[in-house]
Amino acid sequence: MSGIKIGIGLGTARSGVASAQQLCDYAERAEGLGIDSVWLSDRITGTQLDITAVMALIAARTTRIKMGPAVLTMPAHHPVHVARAYATLDHLSGGCGRMIMAVGLGNDPRQCAVVGIAPQERGGRMEEGVAVLRKLWTEPHVTHQGRYYQFENLTIEPRPARGPLDVWIGGRTDVALKRVARYGDGWFPSFVTPDEYADGMRRLIGYGKERGRDIDPGEAGVLLLCHVTEDRAQADVILQLIAASGQLPPDSIAERVAVGPASACVERLQRFVTAGCTKFVLFPICPPAELVPQIEAYAGEVMARV
């Protein structure tokens, strides 16, 4: 089906720590296979490479593939630092629109608490932080006196060559949808079912109308954990590992992931397409040595059939 875009993810907490060569092989092979984008999980604590450093590496070894955080825990980062880092990545990747920004509160409040951010401040800091990003990516000599961030006469150069980066917002709660309607350029939920996606988009369009905004249903994408295997026993082991992580509701894990034979993964994505979704980010659940075979399976056995 035309118009469907598939990106891939890389989460070191899920996959183990890949070497520089493995990261380059992964990104270069993805680009060669026509995959649209690569996304990196942002974590403050735990097993994690710095994602801006990894994206700089990918930018140096590729020419077309887009990239971004999935998603950046915005309240845990100072927006001035974020603005500088992603403007730099835009420059290093050629200034041709390859950088995409996706932000959220983070699934675990401890990711913010470890840097001194109180849980009740996360929503306000994210909204103000996004406003700061857009100012610094657009104007020179910026002065900002907000509730959480204050600075005077600050200029970031080079700024993104095509203007401020699009800022997609993660989350699937009603509060998250209202954030997207208020100040997001797109919606980026994780681990939803097709029915939840369709219902979320319906509500999001309604919230946009309340604010006089026309929400483009094409500016949304779903993040899914994925593993293509014809070995049913191996698929069951992976589903058990996902269940043990506690990230997903135990009674509906299979609806929120694409794990199993290629035909089953295609069927899962097609249900999302029927629900109106046209963009996917598939996060491979596998050790680093299996990353390239997995994305080859995505491209040859899944993308071609969706």
Side-chain angles (χ1 to χ4, degrees), residues 27-243:
E28 290 171 346
R29 186 64 179 133
E31 183 166 79
L33 290 167
I35 285 171
D36 178 70
S37 50
V38 58
W39 300 80
L40 289 91
S41 294
D42 176 52
R43 297 286 186 277
I44 305 300
T45 62
T47 304
Q48 179 69 58
L49 298 174
D50 179 84
I51 64 171
T52 56
V54 175
M55 282 190 275
L57 177 66
I58 292 171
R61 296 290 290 264
T62 58
T63 60
R64 177 198 57 80
I65 199 164
K66 299 174 186 175
M67 65 196 86
V71 296
L72 186 76
T73 305
M74 188 69 205
H77 299 273
H78 197 289
V80 172
H81 295 159
V82 174
R84 169 69 77 188
Y86 284 82
T88 297
L89 287 168
D90 177 79
H91 175 75
L92 294 176
S93 61
C96 54
R98 294 174 62 196
M99 291 306 306
I100 308 168
M101 176 60 71
V103 303
L105 298 187
N107 293 328
D108 186 346
R110 291 175 295 181
Q111 297 290 320
C112 289
V114 74
V115 292
I117 305 303
Q120 64 271 20
E121 294 182 0
R122 293 186 301 157
R125 282 182 178 272
M126 186 168 83
E127 183 166 2
E128 187 176 335
V130 170
V132 168
L133 294 181
R134 287 174 170 151
K135 286 181 181 179
L136 291 173
W137 286 336
T138 306
E139 311 164 16
H141 310 295
V142 175
T143 293
H144 179 87
Q145 297 295 328
R147 179 177 180 182
Y148 300 106
Y149 308 110
Q150 303 85 34
F151 52 86
E152 294 186 2
N153 194 29
L154 179 60
T155 298
I156 284 181
E157 291 182 342
R159 292 186 289 278
R162 296 190 176 186
L165 305 180
D166 283 348
V167 180
W168 287 32
I169 295 176
R172 50 193 169 95
T173 65
D174 219 44
V175 172
L177 290 169
K178 289 177 179 178
R179 288 192 186 102
V180 179
R182 192 164 65 249
Y183 63 90
D185 295 310
W187 181 40
F188 194 23
S190 303
F191 315 137
V192 293
T193 68
D195 288 344
E196 288 171 346
Y197 178 85
D199 179 65
M201 182 55 68
R202 177 189 58 78
R203 287 183 286 144
L204 176 56
I205 290 172
Y207 293 142
K209 287 180 179 178
E210 291 174 5
R211 294 188 162 273
R213 294 187 65 191
D214 290 326
I215 302 296
D216 182 355
E219 294 302 305
V222 170
L223 188 154
L224 297 169
L225 304 181
C226 186
H227 189 95
V228 178
T229 177
E230 300 301 315
D231 186 334
R232 299 279 182 173
Q234 184 182 25
D236 288 342
V237 169
I238 292 168
L239 288 171
Q240 290 168 13
L241 290 172
I242 294 171

